[in-house]
Amino acid sequence: MAAHALPINKLQCLSSVFCGIFMCKIVYDLTGAISASFFKGYNKLSNKEKLEWNNRGFSTFHSIVVAAGSLYLLLFSDLFVDSEDVLFVNKSSTLSETIMGVSIGYFLSDLAMIIYNYPALGGIEYILHHGLSMFSIVQSLLSGQAQFYIFMVLFTEITTPFVNLRWRLDVAELKNSKLYIYNGVALFIGWLVARIILFVFLFFHMFAHFDQVKKVYWLGFYSLIAIPPVLSLMNLFWFWKIARGMVKTLRKSKQT
């Protein structure tokens, strides 16, 4: 592993992880308080539904924060621009490490809730997804390598708000509303772009820059080779379910 994480960086990374956990706790509580005050149907939900409702609150917040940070680092900053001095697979910054630390805090919090309340918040596929995500991010954070690809994958979290809104509209018995239909179409398009097409680009980019990818330390290298295909297959499976749901909703709407 690259001699990257100096003691001060380790302290910064650990602080970021705790900030991510604290963020989840604050947003979880705020979601419950705000929903109880402004959404009349919230108090009619079961305890299980309230648990998931609040859980999806910090899930949405994390996805917006991490997707915005990933977009900035990938497109608008010069962090991953090729240079003669440093290979792009070895580039990192205080901001990139902070975002990854916060994301680890989120995945830890969400995974803990999923396992503790299993299977109320999700099945084994969510545990697998979160476990692989954390494993990859921790490696990249500690080694300072392959962060470019980590942020490409983290950007796919941009689809999460649409997933969560769909669930909320379903629980609120608003499946026949226009908002449910529009959100379903947006989810389909967003998933196609962010989790299918973007992964194709990720694989192409890794192939085109394989000379640099090979210079990632051994465990990180094999993780880059193995984990993205697994996540891609999971995304394809979920995309199939989303497409089926959208077609079913559109047909029902047309008949109505």
Side-chain angles (χ1 to χ4, degrees):
M1 187 174 291
H4 166 77
L6 299 174
I8 184 63
N9 287 341
K10 289 181 179 178
L11 179 60
Q12 171 206 318
C13 295
L14 192 60
S15 300
S16 299
V17 172
F18 280 112
C19 283
I21 296 173
F22 184 68
M23 173 197 75
C24 291
K25 171 61 176 173
I26 294 297
V27 177
Y28 180 92
D29 292 338
L30 283 176
T31 300
I34 294 173
S35 299
S37 300
F38 295 98
F39 176 57
K40 295 180 180 179
Y42 179 80
N43 293 322
K44 298 179 182 179
L45 300 177
S46 65
N47 290 333
K48 175 184 174 182
E49 290 172 333
K50 287 181 179 178
L51 174 73
E52 186 164 358
W53 183 285
N54 297 346
N55 174 274
R56 288 178 182 269
F58 71 73
S59 169
T60 298
F61 187 82
H62 162 264
S63 66
I64 294 173
V65 170
V66 79
S70 299
L71 186 65
Y72 169 76
L73 289 170
L74 292 171
L75 296 183
F76 300 106
S77 75
D78 59 356
L79 176 60
F80 298 114
V81 175
D82 266 326
S83 64
E84 296 181 359
D85 299 330
V86 184
L87 299 177
F88 82 90
V89 291
N90 291 330
K91 289 189 173 184
S92 63
S93 68
T94 300
L95 178 60
S96 68
E97 292 172 347
T98 299
I99 293 174
M100 287 196 295
V102 169
S103 198
I104 291 171
Y106 158 73
F107 281 118
L108 278 172
S109 302
D110 200 34
L111 184 60
M113 289 191 67
I114 290 173
I115 294 175
Y116 184 78
N117 297 284
Y118 189 85
L121 296 177
I124 191 66
E125 68 275 12
Y126 287 93
I127 295 177
L128 177 62
H129 174 270
H130 283 26
L132 290 175
S133 298
M134 279 197 298
F135 180 73
S136 301
I137 298 171
V138 168
Q139 284 191 90
S140 183
L141 182 60
L142 295 180
S143 68
Q145 294 184 305
Q147 293 190 6
F148 176 80
Y149 296 115
I150 292 295
F151 284 111
M152 285 185 68
V153 176
L154 282 177
F155 179 74
T156 64
E157 289 293 310
I158 192 65
T159 59
T160 300
F162 301 106
V163 175
N164 290 342
L165 179 58
R166 183 183 185 181
W167 180 88
R168 284 196 169 95
L169 291 172
D170 188 5
V171 170
E173 299 180 352
L174 294 172
K175 290 186 69 172
N176 294 323
S177 66
K178 289 185 178 180
L179 179 58
Y180 187 87
I181 297 173
Y182 296 152
N183 180 73
V185 174
L187 173 59
F188 174 84
I189 296 173
W191 199 281
L192 175 63
V193 173
R195 291 186 182 256
I196 305 299
I197 296 176
L198 183 60
F199 264 81
V200 173
F201 176 76
L202 183 148
F203 294 136
F204 172 78
H205 192 280
M206 286 178 58
F207 177 78
H209 296 82
F210 200 68
D211 58 324
Q212 292 197 45
V213 172
K214 289 190 297 184
K215 296 181 180 179
V216 175
Y217 86 105
W218 71 272
L219 184 57
F221 171 75
Y222 288 113
S223 297
L224 274 175
I225 299 300
I227 293 178
V230 175
L231 294 178
S232 183
L233 288 174
M234 295 176 70
N235 286 334
L236 284 170
F237 171 71
W238 284 324
F239 182 65
W240 173 70
K241 296 183 69 174
I242 290 169
R244 285 185 60 192
M246 184 188 71
V247 171
K248 182 179 178 181
T249 300
L250 290 175
R251 283 178 178 173
K252 184 178 179 181
S253 174
K254 187 176 180 180
Q255 291 173 356
T256 302

